[in-house]
Amino acid sequence: MVKAKSWVMTKHFDGFPKKSDFGLKVEELPEPKDGEVLLEAVFLSVDPYMRLFSKTHIKEGGVMIGEQVAKVIQSKNPAFPVGSHVVSNSGWRTHTLSDGTGLTPILPEWPKDVSLSLVLGAIGIPGLTAVYGIEEVLGLQKGETLLVNAAAGAVGSVVGQIAKIKGCKVVGSAGSDAKVAYLKELGFDEAFNYKTVGSLQEALRKASPEGYDCFFENVGGSSSYVVLQQMKKFGRIAVCGTISTYNDSEPQTGPYPYSTMLFKELKMEGFVYSRWQHKDHETLKRLLAWVKEGKLQCREHVTKGFENMPAAFMGMLQGENIGKAVVAV
C-alpha cells in the first residue's frame, strides 16, 4: 500500500487564490490490478489556465488539475514497464493508479542530458501552444514584426525564439527588468518593462515605429486595446490567454476594439493547442531538435517539494517566474 498525497481546492477562489483555499489530503492506494500501473510524480506543472478553469473543471473538494511527469513504480501493463516515465494529467497528486488511458510515454529519442521537466514546458504544451499560435493562427512570415506580451513566461519565451528562428523582428513586453534582460539574452530585438514605461503606447511605437504585423496575446485587459492601435493594416492577433483577468471578481468592461479592428481590417482568433493534437508528435520532435541545436533556450523556475504546490501556483500567478514554473517532488 502506498500513501498518496493530493492537493484539493477546498472552496472556489474568490479573486486571487489564498493558502486557505487549498487542503492536503492523504489516502492509501491499493496494489495495481491487471492492466494498471502505479505512478509516482517527479515534476508537476503550475500554469495560468488552472486558475481560469478552476470554476468549470474543479468542484469544491476536488483535486487540482494539471500535468505531471511521473515514473512507473509498479506495473501490470506491458505498455508501461517499471522505471519508464510518462506524462499524465493526474493533477496535484504524488501517486496515481492508472489503467494507462491518457498516459503519454516520453519521446524515445529524449537525450539523457535534458531534464524531463521540459516535457511540461518548451517541449510540451507551452511549446506546442507557441508553435500552433505562430504557424496555424498567425501564419507568421519571414521579415514580419511580432509582438508578444508576458514574453518571459512559459509560452511567451518560446514564441519569441521561434519567431527569431523564422527570421522575424520580435518585440517582447514583460513585468520586470530581470525579465527584460532575459529576453535580450534570448535574442529579442526589443523588450521593455510595461510596469515602468511612462506610456505603453510610446513604448510600442519606439520598439517598432512601423507597427506590428502579428500580436501573440497572453495578457488581455485594457493594455491589449493600446496594442491594437499599433497594429499594421491587415494585422493578425492570436489570443492564447488573458492572464490579467483571471483573478477578477467582476468581469472587466471596455474599451471596445471593434472600430479599430474594422478600419485596420484586423484578424483576431482565439485558440487552444489541442485543435492540432494530430500534429503533436512531429511538433514535439521539432521542438526537441531546436533545443538540441541550441536554437531554443529553456529557463525554468523550479520549486522544490510537493508541499509547496499552492505557493508555487500563487507565485506563478504573481509573475515570480522567468520561464516555465514547475515543482520538483
Side-chain angles (χ1 to χ4, degrees), residues 49 67 89 118-130 155 273 284:
Y49 79 84
E67 271 199 322
N89 279 305
L118 295 190
V119 169
L120 303 176
I123 315 175
I125 290 177
L128 294 171
T129 301
V155 175
Y273 83 97
L284 290 171

Side-chain angles (χ1 to χ4, degrees), residues 71-230:
K71 183 177 182 179
V72 178
I73 59 171
Q74 293 184 41
S75 178
K76 291 188 177 180
N77 185 326
F80 303 100
V82 171
S84 62
H85 289 82
V86 297
V87 182
S88 168
N89 279 305
S90 298
W92 294 12
R93 304 175 191 267
T94 58
H95 297 82
T96 307
L97 267 180
S98 170
D99 63 3
T101 303
L103 300 184
T104 304
I106 303 298
L107 289 171
E109 59 267 44
W110 193 274
K112 294 188 183 299
D113 60 344
V114 175
S115 173
L116 290 175
S117 58
L118 295 190
V119 169
L120 303 176
I123 315 175
I125 290 177
L128 294 171
T129 301
V131 171
Y132 298 147
I134 286 174
E135 296 183 350
E136 305 293 340
V137 181
L138 294 175
L140 185 66
Q141 301 298 311
K142 183 178 180 179
E144 291 190 315
T145 300
L146 169 84
L147 171 69
V148 56
N149 52 16
V155 175
S157 59
V158 179
V159 167
Q161 292 182 82
I162 293 176
K164 290 305 299 178
I165 291 171
K166 292 180 175 293
C168 298
K169 176 180 178 179
V170 180
V171 178
S173 168
S176 75
D177 292 343
K179 291 180 179 181
V180 169
Y182 174 58
L183 298 181
K184 293 294 184 67
E185 290 176 19
L186 294 181
F188 279 57
D189 296 280
E190 301 287 343
F192 61 87
N193 181 349
Y194 73 89
K195 294 180 180 178
T196 57
V197 294
S199 163
L200 178 58
Q201 183 180 60
E202 288 304 314
L204 291 168
R205 284 178 177 169
K206 181 180 179 182
S208 182
E210 69 279 6
Y212 299 89
D213 300 286
C214 292
F215 173 33
F216 198 106
E217 165 71 289
N218 291 309
V219 175
S222 58
S223 65
S224 297
Y225 180 76
V226 179
V227 173
L228 295 190
Q229 315 301 313
Q230 309 304 317

Side-chain angles (χ1 to χ4, degrees), residues 249-260:
S249 297
E250 297 293 330
Q252 295 184 23
T253 57
Y256 302 104
Y258 307 116
S259 59
T260 301

